[in-house]
Structures are given as structure tokens and as C-alpha cells.
Amino acid sequence: MNPLRTLILAAAGNDTVRRVVATAPVSRDVVRRFVAGETTTDAIDTTGDLVGRGLRVTLDYLGEDTTDRTTAERTVRAYLELLDQLHDVGLAADAEVSVKLTAVGLALDETLALDNASRVCAAAEQSDTTVTIDMEDHTTTDATLRVLTELRRHWPSVGAVLQAYLRRTLDDCRELADTRVRLCKGAYAEPASVAYVDQHEVDLNYVRCANVLLAGSGYPMFATHDPRLIEIIGERARWYDKSVEDFEFQMLYGVRTGEQLHLAAEGHVVRVYVPFGEQWYGYLMRRLAERPANVAFFLRSLVSRS
Ligand code: FDA
């Protein structure tokens, strides 16, 4: 992994860094580039805007590593309110939700996380939309896939997420290729024992995994901003005789917005991952770690304010 990326992800866990970033006056402005806002209304407004521009959306209520039941409950309620509103304003056909199991209690108790995720899936069904279960660091992969399997007994359309940087992922892709799967590179600092550390290796594995998913009968969702991978996926999709309805591209809110619109204008389904909520810190740090230019952007904003 890129040393700067490792450094930023390590700094993200430091309490002093957290205090400085979270309380810097500029942070909230910078955050707006990557986060829709703090309230459900902000999330709905941003979704309406993106859908109006021909994009689809998956919404993430920010919060992870929940260590108490009250916070997990608050997260579930935020999703229930969001799903109600998506339905009420007529956006549910174009917008689903993404859920992190640690945000709904995985670190406390796997059964609690399953129960809470089930409530979100039931509400999504009521609102005529779907849920994707985000993938977090590798220590949670097995538990996340176990919960996913349980959820799919009732809601087969629940989306999985697999991370190409993990060595195990090609096998997981073979297992899940006939289902709805988002393939991403992976955003956490992982050891070489479980993950490819060389970026080129990650990209090669992404292509191997993409081939497996495209050969399956499921619905692959390719979450990447990488122009080379997007081009390769387009070619591989044609080779596997997939039409534009058979798969989708996904990108993050605020990242390569022009490319999102360009792909949609070409007829592709493009879904934008839109995070919202007050717990934006961990999310922002992962986005900064992905690209040194984002750190420069962040620091420049700090300097220009001081
Ligand atoms: P890469 O990081 O190599 O970037 C390729 C190019 O894209 C860069 O050169 C740059 O031009 C642009 N770019 C990428 N990130 C940028 C950024 N932050 N700011 C500006 N430009 C940027 N991860 C995970 O572990 N679990 C998950 O559940 C998810 N879910 C998820 C959903 C969706 C819809 C997306 C798009 C991504 C995720 N991810 C994720 C994150 C993912 O694993 C990965 O960290 C990022 O997408 C960056 O990887 P890329 O494939 O874009 O390639």
C-alpha cells in the first residue's frame, strides 16, 4: 500500500488528529465535497439532484464501529426514516441504501447486527427499494458474509460487497457470482498476509474478479473511478454479451463527477454512493487516504482560512 495512504489511515485512528480535524472550522466545508450533509433532508435533496441528472444513488448513513446499543438503534432509525422519505418523495426506484454492519451493532453482537439489518431490509422492501451491505476491514469479512447469507434468505436482492485487494476475494466472487455484488478495490489498511499490497496486483485481481462476476448470472456493480478498469469492464461486458441493464458502475459522491455524467449519457447505469450524517470523520479520512491531491486540497483550505 502507498506509504502516505498507510500514514493517513493510521493517523485517522489517533485521538489528537481526530480532535483537530473534527473541530477545525474549515472541516465542514471540505466535508461538503464528499458528504451530502448531516440530515435526512440534505440526503433527500442531494439524491433528487443526482437522479434529476440521470444518475442512481445508494445512501449511506455515516456511523461505524458502534459500541453501544443506543447508537446502533439510532442508526437503524435513521435508515427507517430515510427509506420512508425516499418512498414518499418518489425517489425509491432510483435510490437504495448501503449499510455497514458495524454501524448497526456487529462489534457488539452478530445477532443484534442481523436483527437490525433485517429491520432495514424490511423497510426497504416496504419502500420498494434495496439494500447493499458494505464491506469493512478483513476481520469482519466472515461475519459480514454470514449475516448477508441470512438476510438473503428473506431478501435475495440484498447486495454484497467484495474487495479486490483481499486475497480471498476471487473465491468469494465465484461463490456469489449469481447474485447482486458490488466489486471495489477496498479502502482499509490491511496486512500483506490477507491483502495484495501492490496496487498493480490489486488492479489485476479486480479484473480477474470482474470476469468471474460478468460470467455469472448475477448483477455486478463495479465500484471504481479508475479509468483503465472502467474501460476494461466495458470491453469484458461486451465479450460476455452483457447489455447496459445487466451491470452498473458506481462512484463516490464528489469524485469524478464529470465521468459519472459521461457514462450515464452513454447509456450506462451509474450509481453514486452518497454518505450523510454527523459521523463523517472516518469516511473523510478514507477518502483523503485514497488520493494525495485530496490531502493537499484539505490542507490548502486550512491555510486559506487561517
Ligand atoms: P483508485 O483509488 O486507484 O483511484 C483511481 C482514480 O480515481 C484516481 O487516480 C483518481 O483519479 C480517482 N479517485 C479515486 N478515489 C478518489 C478520491 N477519494 N478523490 C478523488 N479522486 C479519486 N471500500 C470498501 O472497503 N468497502 C466498501 O463497502 C466500499 N464501498 C464502495 C462503494 C462505492 C460506490 C465506491 C465507489 C467505492 C467503495 N469503496 C468501498 C471504496 C473503494 O474500495 C476504493 O477505496 C475507492 O473507490 C478508490 O478506489 P478506485 O477503484 O476508485 O481506484
Side-chain angles (χ1 to χ4, degrees), residues 5 33-34 58 98-100 132-137 160-165 182-188 190 199 202-203 206 221-230 248-256 260 271-274 283-284 286-294:
R5 185 172 175 197
R33 176 176 160 189
F34 297 111
T58 184
S98 285
V99 178
K100 283 187 179 44
T132 294
I133 304 296
D134 282 344
M135 192 56 85
E136 302 174 67
D137 75 78
V161 178
L162 296 176
Q163 299 152 316
Y165 66 9
R182 173 195 301 158
L183 180 65
C184 63
K185 288 189 186 178
Y188 298 81
E190 299 288 15
Q199 205 46 51
V202 177
D203 293 354
Y206 195 106
M221 305 178 279
F222 297 108
T224 184
H225 313 91
D226 189 325
R228 274 194 60 228
L229 287 182
I230 291 169
E248 69 186 44
F249 288 112
Q250 299 191 339
M251 295 194 200
L252 302 176
Y253 180 64
V255 179
R256 301 202 72 206
Q260 295 172 13
R271 194 177 294 277
V272 183
Y273 187 100
V274 177
Y283 181 84
L284 176 71
R286 284 197 296 282
R287 299 296 76 83
L288 294 181
E290 269 153 17
R291 211 179 169 221
N294 287 339

Side-chain angles (χ1 to χ4, degrees), residues 35-281:
V35 176
E38 296 197 343
T39 67
T40 307
T41 306
D42 293 332
I44 296 284
D45 287 350
T46 301
T47 301
D49 177 48
L50 293 168
V51 169
R53 294 199 271 160
L55 302 165
R56 295 195 199 165
V57 169
T58 184
L59 283 149
D60 170 36
Y61 177 70
L62 290 169
E64 48 199 283
D65 297 333
T66 296
T67 50
D68 61 274
R69 284 169 186 264
T70 313
T71 312
E73 180 61 27
R74 197 164 51 237
T75 302
V76 174
R77 284 171 191 262
Y79 274 110
L80 302 190
E81 181 190 329
L82 173 69
L83 285 160
D84 259 2
Q85 290 200 24
L86 282 175
H87 183 262
D88 290 351
V89 299
L91 286 169
D94 292 303
E96 60 143 38
V97 295
S98 285
V99 178
K100 283 187 179 44
L101 290 182
T102 60
V104 294
L106 187 66
L108 292 168
D109 172 5
E110 195 170 315
T111 309
L112 175 71
L114 173 60
D115 290 348
N116 281 339
S118 299
R119 290 164 64 201
V120 177
C121 290
E125 185 180 36
Q126 287 280 315
S127 293
D128 289 324
T129 187
T130 49
V131 176
T132 294
I133 304 296
D134 282 344
M135 192 56 85
E136 302 174 67
D137 75 78
H138 80 278
T139 63
T140 65
T141 309
D142 283 326
T144 302
L145 293 178
R146 275 196 301 273
V147 170
L148 177 87
T149 304
E150 287 305 310
L151 293 171
R152 282 180 165 176
R153 288 185 205 284
H154 297 279
W155 300 281
S157 66
V158 175
V161 178
L162 296 176
Q163 299 152 316
Y165 66 9
L166 292 187
R167 296 177 192 276
R168 61 176 285 167
T169 292
L170 190 57
D171 286 337
D172 289 331
C173 284
R174 291 190 183 112
E175 196 74 31
L176 299 179
D178 295 333
T179 69
R180 211 164 72 91
V181 178
R182 173 195 301 158
L183 180 65
C184 63
K185 288 189 186 178
Y188 298 81
E190 299 288 15
S193 52
V194 298
Y196 298 106
V197 281
D198 180 81
Q199 205 46 51
H200 184 59
E201 287 280 352
V202 177
D203 293 354
L204 286 177
N205 203 42
Y206 195 106
V207 174
R208 286 193 286 267
C209 292
N211 271 300
V212 170
L213 295 179
L214 284 166
S217 62
Y219 183 75
M221 305 178 279
F222 297 108
T224 184
H225 313 91
D226 189 325
R228 274 194 60 228
L229 287 182
I230 291 169
E231 198 187 323
I232 291 170
I233 288 158
E235 280 165 14
R236 299 313 293 156
R238 280 190 292 282
W239 196 85
Y240 283 104
D241 212 15
K242 299 285 182 185
S243 76
V244 285
E245 288 92 40
D246 295 331
F247 69 100
E248 69 186 44
F249 288 112
Q250 299 191 339
M251 295 194 200
L252 302 176
Y253 180 64
V255 179
R256 301 202 72 206
T257 307
E259 180 64 6
Q260 295 172 13
L261 295 169
H262 173 72
L263 286 169
E266 280 186 341
H268 289 290
V269 177
V270 180
R271 194 177 294 277
V272 183
Y273 187 100
V274 177
F276 75 102
E278 290 168 17
Q279 301 298 313
W280 45 261
Y281 177 80

